[in-house]
Amino acid sequence: MKYFWKNIPRYIRFVFAQTLYLYLLTVLFRLIFYLFFFKSSITDTGIIGKAWYLGLKFDLRLTLLLIIPLGLLVVIARNRFFTSRVLRSISFVYLLLVYLGLTLLYVLDLGHYAYLGLRLDPSITRFVASGERADNARMVWQSYPVLRAVIGIALFLFLVYRLHVYTYRKLAQQEPVTTRGWRYAGWFASLVILFAAGIYGNFAYFPLRWSQAMFTRDNGVTSLALNPVLYFADNFSVQSDTYDVQKTRTYYPYVAEYLRVDSPDVQKLCYTRSIPGEDRPRPNIILVMLESTGAAVTSMFNNPMQATPHMQKLADSGILFRNFYVPAVSTAKTVYGVTTGLPDITQVKTASRHPQMVDQRIIMDQFTGYEKYYLLGGNTNWANIRAVFTSNVEGIRIFEEGYYKAPKADVWGVSDYDLITEANEIFKDAHQRNKPFVAFLQTADNHAPYTTTSGAGDFRKLTEQDIDMEKFKTAGFVSIDQFNALRYLDYNLGHLVKLAREGGYLDNTIFVFFGDHNCHLNPYHFMPFPEYELGSGGEHVPCIIYAPGRITPQVINRPGSLLDIYPTVARMAGIPYKNYTLGTDLLDTSYQDRYAFITYQKNLQWYKAVIGERYLYEINNKNGQAALYDLEGDPLKDVQQEHTKIAEVLDNLTQGFYESTRYLMFNNKK
């Protein structure tokens, strides 16, 4: 074997050596992912082994594609490669760039997966949007060991450089094997065949495809089977978000009927509903957005850790919506969705970052006689959220960093405790002036870097020694820091209610507490149906309406959506308004079959769907394949063949919500 290796031309051996080194790098990162990031509810070693097998083939494909330029250079130059300083320098620079680029992409992928539970995709570009780079950079700096990572990458690249120099010098010192004519052609052809076979990657009539990695319904297994760099490249698209008028008109009748549009018109595409008001004293409205808070982590949904006792008290004294959903997992998309009444279905960036989608006719602007506030601890230039409010709400007052007396706690601004403390002064002042107000209060500390304070001096972080770790492992939490951040958020909700009571405006205020999306969790199985496996768990969030003396405490199982919040509180306050978008009144019991429109990523593929009390209907955005799941039966079995009429109705509704949203994003301008 050693004799055979020595008789291979040294430039061919150089290509083989560099291919092996690069391949080992991809395998190393796959091993790191598997040991430290991989999470799955599947324990079958055969399935895990298949994921590894496919993943290694994808890694080989990436390696060979990257080695091709170097291989061509070396094979064409042949033995001159070891005597030419220029060719040596070109190869060194190229390999350095390849290793640097791959290492950075893999590190970004691991960080992205740790944060969202998803492989790196083109939406990562939103974090480098103009005006937001500094905040996002600070968040990364405060959340991750950036300096150590940079030092580690630099050291790693130095070792790679030394290995490359060693390999080059060792081969350069050997006697060249002369290859001419058919001998050279044979080696060249053999190299081409080996590379082509490795890139093809399949013992079949079709090449290895990314869809083969999705042989289970499990996101973790699929993530293990894919190569993140190839996945990123395959999914990168520069196509702009747009709409199709003809498709909108096709599905408009179904949406118009569902929404009960005043004057349906398939040509004008009118979605307007006029809601009369009531002549009575106006209550205050405070919407509290709970950062990264899904239903599954809260006490109201049987989480074993019972981390949210204050939320539980609010739910027990108010209205808890057990089946409440946000349209997509993203804080910016949630703020846009609740404010405009439109799901943010953009693929790469967010609607708040799209100038043509910001201008909207919204219900918050119709609270005549109200003072209007938007409050957050950081800066509203984040995700261009400022424009969502300032361009759509007349006279809105924005309170952000620079206004507060408290110092910044982290990249997201002042702590939630300080934000609520100072917001109370604003609310109390309006109350003392007998001026009703509608406020959007946005929390942020239940988010990396999970900064907590002692609050009033009585909040204490828990450690592993303080809790039952066996129970903790079944609760879905990824880390103790994540768990403590949720406890801190819950603590601050108690602080808000206490201040409202002391400030005298509690009984004259309608509070709505809602999660903006679920956080990244380990597999959990204590919910009524397997939402983790179905993909809907990320969008399932708590929603509580708390209004002492104004409502009867109850639990509502009818599905609700983030889009429905403003229509609901406007009616509760007696405000006359026109609804131009897709939300409906959550408390209107005349709606017999309610559905929430959601989008989610499952098995690394995007779906649009509607979910009701019994059925979930989904459509794959890429291939159009649909499925109907009976949540009261076998929730993981596609039953559309058994319920064709239900599937048809829900298909029209799903497509209708999607196409209507695309249209209204561009055509609901003031």
Side-chain angles (χ1 to χ4, degrees):
M1 185 66 183
K2 183 177 180 181
Y3 178 80
F4 174 77
W5 175 252
K6 288 289 186 180
N7 279 276
I8 297 175
R10 56 181 179 169
Y11 53 85
I12 299 289
R13 280 183 279 154
F14 180 84
V15 174
F16 283 152
Q18 296 305 329
T19 301
L20 177 62
Y21 297 156
L22 193 59
Y23 185 59
L24 289 176
L25 174 68
T26 65
V27 174
L28 173 63
F29 275 107
R30 180 169 299 281
L31 184 62
I32 292 172
F33 173 83
Y34 179 73
L35 293 176
F36 301 104
F37 297 87
F38 174 71
K39 299 179 182 69
S40 172
S41 58
I42 293 177
T43 57
D44 188 319
T45 55
I47 292 176
I48 303 300
K50 182 177 180 180
W52 264 97
Y53 170 69
L54 290 170
L56 292 174
K57 292 204 294 183
F58 279 113
D59 292 345
L60 180 59
R61 171 181 284 178
L62 174 64
T63 300
L64 295 175
L65 288 172
L66 291 173
I67 289 294
I68 284 175
L70 177 68
L72 288 174
L73 173 70
V74 173
V75 173
I76 291 173
R78 287 187 269 186
N79 287 313
R80 285 191 303 111
F81 175 73
F82 295 98
T83 59
S84 171
R85 179 176 296 179
V86 173
L87 295 180
R88 181 183 63 193
S89 298
I90 291 174
S91 70
F92 277 29
V93 171
Y94 176 76
L95 286 172
L96 179 65
L97 292 175
V98 166
Y99 277 92
L100 176 62
L102 273 185
T103 303
L104 290 176
L105 281 172
Y106 271 107
V107 170
L108 276 174
D109 173 69
L110 294 176
H112 191 269
Y113 195 89
Y115 180 32
L116 294 174
L118 300 171
R119 284 297 204 183
L120 193 68
D121 61 46
S123 67
I124 190 72
T125 58
R126 70 185 186 272
F127 294 115
V128 293
S130 177
E132 300 175 43
R133 301 185 188 96
D135 280 350
N136 289 323
R138 283 194 292 271
M139 187 275 286
V140 170
W141 178 265
Q142 294 173 12
S143 302
Y144 302 99
V146 176
L147 188 59
R148 281 180 291 169
V150 170
I151 294 173
I153 291 172
L155 179 61
F156 171 74
L157 291 177
F158 174 75
L159 294 176
V160 168
Y161 168 77
R162 295 304 304 168
L163 178 63
H164 179 71
V165 170
Y166 170 80
T167 303
Y168 179 89
R169 288 177 176 173
K170 186 174 182 179
L171 290 172
Q173 292 168 1
Q174 296 178 7
E175 288 295 322
V177 176
T178 304
T179 52
R180 295 188 180 91
W182 287 107
R183 183 178 174 84
Y184 170 75
W187 282 116
F188 186 88
S190 298
L191 199 61
V192 169
I193 291 171
L194 288 173
F195 268 59
I199 293 171
Y200 193 84
N202 250 0
F203 298 102
Y205 291 109
F206 53 88
L208 181 68
R209 292 173 178 165
W210 58 265
S211 58
Q212 288 178 250
M214 299 170 182
F215 63 94
T216 70
R217 303 170 59 87
D218 188 86
N219 187 69
V221 171
T222 302
S223 297
L224 178 63
L226 286 171
N227 177 282
V229 179
L230 291 177
Y231 175 71
F232 180 87
D234 287 341
N235 285 277
F236 195 87
S237 173
V238 296
Q239 294 179 347
S240 300
D241 291 289
T242 185
Y243 62 94
D244 186 320
V245 173
Q246 189 54 50
K247 286 185 178 180
T248 307
R249 290 197 170 107
T250 298
Y251 295 104
Y252 171 82
Y254 307 106
V255 176
E257 180 182 5
Y258 178 84
L259 297 176
R260 302 176 185 174
V261 170
D262 291 345
S263 302
D265 190 320
V266 74
Q267 294 304 316
K268 293 182 179 179
L269 294 175
C270 176
Y271 293 82
T272 308
R273 289 93 73 206
S274 298
I275 311 300
E278 297 180 21
D279 185 13
R280 52 187 170 86
R282 303 297 193 217
N284 307 312
I285 308 292
I286 300 179
L287 309 185
V288 184
M289 193 204 80
L290 312 175
E291 171 65 47
S292 300
T293 305
V297 296
T298 66
S299 301
M300 303 86 72
F301 292 85
N302 303 317
N303 188 283
M305 294 307 296
Q306 295 291 294
T308 59
H310 292 289
M311 280 190 220
Q312 183 71 66
K313 289 181 182 179
L314 292 170
D316 292 341
S317 303
I319 301 175
L320 171 65
F321 297 90
R322 291 196 64 84
N323 293 296
F324 189 86
Y325 295 86
V326 297
V329 175
S330 163
T331 300
K333 291 188 175 189
T334 287
V335 176
Y336 180 89
V338 69
T339 306
T340 66
L342 291 173
D344 185 345
I345 56 174
T346 53
Q347 293 296 305
V348 178
K349 294 188 178 181
T350 61
S352 63
R353 295 175 169 97
H354 199 309
Q356 295 184 56
M357 296 180 182
V358 168
D359 186 9
Q360 299 287 330
R361 295 178 290 182
I362 66 177
I363 295 175
M364 185 184 188
D365 189 46
Q366 300 175 51
F367 276 70
T368 304
Y370 275 68
E371 292 187 349
K372 305 173 184 72
Y373 313 140
Y374 174 57
L375 309 96
L376 82 164
N379 191 295
T380 49
N381 287 335
W382 155 80
N384 197 36
I385 290 299
R386 183 189 303 274
V388 174
F389 291 98
T390 57
S391 67
N392 295 318
V393 184
E394 183 70 28
I396 191 167
R397 295 175 62 190
I398 292 180
F399 300 91
E400 57 185 325
E401 64 180 29
Y403 166 84
Y404 306 109
K405 298 173 186 175
K408 290 182 64 173
D410 57 24
V411 61
W412 304 122
V414 303
S415 71
D416 285 349
Y417 181 85
D418 291 328
L419 170 65
I420 288 170
T421 301
E422 298 199 41
N424 172 65
E425 296 301 317
I426 299 168
F427 301 156
K428 189 165 62 173
D429 174 68
H431 170 70
Q432 292 170 349
R433 292 185 285 108
N434 294 316
K435 193 68 176 177
F437 60 87
V438 53
F440 189 116
L441 178 65
Q442 181 173 331
T443 64
D445 287 340
N446 189 28
H447 186 297
Y450 299 129
T451 301
T452 63
T453 71
S454 62
D458 56 346
F459 179 80
R460 182 179 70 88
K461 287 185 178 181
L462 299 180
T463 66
E464 292 186 11
Q465 287 70 40
D466 300 316
I467 61 177
D468 183 340
M469 288 305 295
E470 289 302 315
K471 185 185 295 184
F472 184 83
K473 290 176 183 178
T474 68
F477 292 101
V478 172
S479 68
I480 296 293
D481 284 342
Q482 184 190 55
F483 171 64
N484 278 316
L486 177 65
R487 293 180 56 247
Y488 181 65
L489 170 62
D490 182 73
Y491 169 88
N492 285 317
L493 298 187
H495 178 51
L496 172 61
V497 173
K498 177 176 178 289
L499 291 178
R501 182 178 294 109
E502 293 172 350
Y505 59 88
L506 178 66
D507 294 338
N508 191 41
T509 301
I510 298 171
F511 291 87
V512 184
F513 302 91
F514 62 95
D516 75 326
H517 58 77
N518 209 346
C519 50
H520 172 45
L521 296 173
N522 288 327
Y524 56 91
H525 302 101
F526 50 81
M527 298 296 275
F529 60 86
E531 63 177 28
Y532 184 90
E533 286 79 8
L534 282 170
S536 61
E539 288 71 24
H540 187 197
V541 300
C543 179
I544 302 167
I545 296 180
Y546 178 68
R550 293 178 178 272
I551 57 176
T552 301
Q554 59 185 301
V555 174
I556 293 180
N557 291 316
R558 297 188 305 274
S561 169
L562 182 79
L563 315 178
D564 304 328
I565 288 179
Y566 269 108
T568 304
V569 295
R571 189 204 59 78
M572 292 180 69
I575 303 294
Y577 67 93
K578 287 188 176 182
N579 191 346
Y580 300 99
T581 51
L582 304 180
T584 59
D585 181 359
L586 286 166
L587 301 177
D588 186 347
T589 57
S590 65
Y591 280 91
Q592 296 301 312
D593 294 315
R594 293 187 67 102
Y595 285 89
F597 176 80
I598 58 177
T599 61
Y600 50 79
Q601 194 177 39
K602 179 176 62 175
N603 215 14
L604 298 184
Q605 298 184 74
W606 282 103
Y607 291 82
K608 50 181 173 282
V610 290
I611 186 167
E613 285 189 73
R614 179 169 180 178
Y615 294 106
L616 168 65
Y617 183 83
E618 68 179 18
I619 302 173
N620 187 303
N621 281 357
K622 195 159 192 174
N623 58 31
Q625 291 182 353
L628 176 69
Y629 303 104
D630 185 348
L631 305 179
E632 295 180 359
D634 181 352
L636 297 178
K637 178 185 177 183
D638 180 6
V639 296
Q640 61 178 324
Q641 296 303 319
E642 294 94 317
H643 303 284
T644 54
K645 289 186 178 180
I646 293 174
E648 181 181 359
V649 169
L650 296 185
D651 184 83
N652 288 330
L653 191 59
T654 305
Q655 299 282 18
F657 265 103
Y658 180 73
E659 297 300 339
S660 293
T661 298
R662 296 173 69 204
Y663 173 80
L664 286 168
M665 278 181 161
F666 291 93
N667 294 280
N668 184 42
K669 301 183 187 302
K670 293 181 288 296

